[in-house]
Amino acid sequence: MGILEVKNVGKRFGGLQALGDVNLSIAENSVHAIIGPNGAGKSTLLNCLVGKLIPDTGSVTFDGQSVLGRKPFEINQMGISRVFQTPEIFGDLSVLENMLIPCFAKRDGAFHLSAFKAMLDDKEIVERALHMLEEMNMVDKQDMHAAALSRGDKRRLEIGMCLSQEPRLLLLDEPTAGMARADTNNTIDLLKQISDERDITIAIIEHDMHVVFSLAQRITVLAQGTPLVEDTPDNIKGHPKVREAYLGETQTV
Amino acid sequence: MLKLNKRDTLLFVIVTALVLLAPFILNPFPQGSSMAQMFNAGYPDLMQRFVIFGILVIGFNILFGLTGYLSFGHAAFLGIGSYAAVWMFKLLSMNIIPAIILSMIVAGIFSLLIGYVSLRRSGIYFSILTLAFAQMSYNLAYSVLGNPASNYNLTNGETGLQLALNDPRILDGAAAANGALPVTNLFGLAMRDSFDWNIGGWLFTFNAGYYVAGILMLLSFYISIRIFRSPFGMMLRAVKSNQQRMNYTGLNTKPYTLAAFVISGMYAGLAGGLLSSMDPLAGAERMHWTASGEIVIMAILGGVGTLIGPIVGAGFNEYFKNILSKINDGVLHQWLSFLPDGLENFIVGILHYFVGKGWHLTLGLLFMMVIVFLPGGLVEGGQKLAKLFKRKKADTPDSKNTPAE
């Protein structure tokens, strides 16, 4: 059984059946990509996994526990971290502070009232944050305003923030959308390194086939709210149904 | 020192010095001179207001400055604190300690209830909800709970809640024996006691109430610095910056914002309790929405989200309010007497609308100018000046070795 099990999930918005009957199993410590044309329901599915949406039917279990009805912060505390399409960081705070926050959240939980201790005196947390910044090659930028970072650095910071929580499942929503080629390749290398070095499961929603085929061990193709096929990248490339539905007859990959 | 970093320690020492030396600083002109009449501000009543409103705005800044939640009803907690304190003077003792403690507790309970409901929404809807609650409190105090004929006369309506000779005052009821109302005190030290020091032409007044309130303001300021530098303070700034990321980082924003709301409500309660301690009379007008608006204005004037901003804003507002309302046509004529009569009358005729009773107009213009030119408040103005000064210094030949930018 996979670490994340999605069973018969359906979601309807008014007259639109966004998700039909989705079954998905993501194996532990794998990199699993979900691809599909626009409107296939990729983002709806993702939002059902993190608690932003509650599916109408079906069940979603993470490590044997249901996530349905839990709020995003509770699901995060279970061990699922999410990286957004446009980097969601704390723009008004310094880079170091951005990294301190998830470290505090990991150690102290969803709410902890420590109003009289200076945060920089918390050596354990500061060390952990600096260590993570080092891994992301951002130590020299720790005093910068996070909003002033480049797009690629914001993405690195966001991924670093998620990793500092030591999640068991990392969800990425089009992590390279709108990035220059060089930044895209850097992100691919970073994600590869993360999946090689850590006990972590990565689920990635992506448009960019280059990214998908360089990273994923398994790929699920979603079309019109239902999974069309799930297989290894090599098999997906040659799959006639996928070519027809998504890649287009003439495109070579 | 005091577990603060170097910069914060320096700031705290400066503020402490200003508070302790305020009777000198605010009375720069010799007693009796016309300048003194106009610009001296070193009398007990006004100095007390400086520090008490300082406390109020420091607390407001913990909510608005850190989390970005703009409460438009903070005067309600000020008023509730005032009433609670006066009730303590009526029922228990004229000592200000129990009064202040009760006003903080009652304001804390009210802010917990109001905050719990209001914080279900954010942005403008949050502001409207707090405004609605504050106006409800105002109306409750002004009429519903203030009917002198009813058995539940908590606030004494329009007249305001005040002391009476036949109040129980369980702990020190005997004080009323000589037929005069007892005075508020701190273990016997009356709040209205002052020590006057006449030196040269100057008169400096050291008022007990001012120093009690001043020391409490320093304590409030110190706590606010600690909160700003704590993980809790960082979480509050994170709420302002990106709530979505907070939720997806496993943090529950609700208790953070509620804690900030209650803390700032208790600061307001403390300020209200102190106002009553200086003058044991509480009226509903303290809770009116214009009073809430004034808190917002003071916070923005000084610089939202900065440590020192609230104190600067409160001081600026109270000082100019006091000066502008003192200037009248007679004073204007005296100042402009060097002009030809026609011109003098014309200018006085125009300025007439900006001073005396028209002080709102001038303060409004000053406020507009600060918002337009210094969106970061007066603190930003100070920082700009400091930068200018530094750059000038850097231009001097001494520092030609510094590399060009």
Side-chain angles (χ1 to χ4, degrees), chain A residues 9-12 16-22 40-42 44-46 48 55 222 224-226:
Chain A
V9 162
K11 178 78 191 172
R12 174 180 280 281
L16 175 78
Q17 187 76 40
L19 291 177
D21 183 31
V22 178
K42 303 186 296 290
T44 309
L45 178 62
L46 186 71
C48 288
L222 215 59
Q224 287 161 353
T226 42

Side-chain angles (χ1 to χ4, degrees), chain B residues 87 91 143-156 161:
Chain B
W87 271 113
L91 298 178
S143 52
V144 182
L145 296 173
N147 181 2
S150 97
N151 286 326
Y152 304 101
N153 180 13
L154 277 176
T155 62
N156 206 22
L161 190 64

Side-chain angles (χ1 to χ4, degrees), chain A residues 90 94-104 125-126 128-134 136 138 156-164, chain B residues 234:
Chain A
F90 302 109
S94 76
V95 170
L96 177 62
E97 285 171 329
N98 266 273
M99 200 56 94
L100 288 171
I101 287 173
C103 294
F104 276 114
I125 293 283
V126 173
R128 204 200 284 190
L130 283 174
H131 180 74
M132 202 64 221
L133 283 177
E134 211 165 293
M136 294 289 128
M138 297 184 82
R156 286 180 90 76
L157 177 61
E158 191 187 23
I159 292 175
M161 287 162 72
C162 288
L163 288 181
S164 68
Chain B
M234 179 175 62

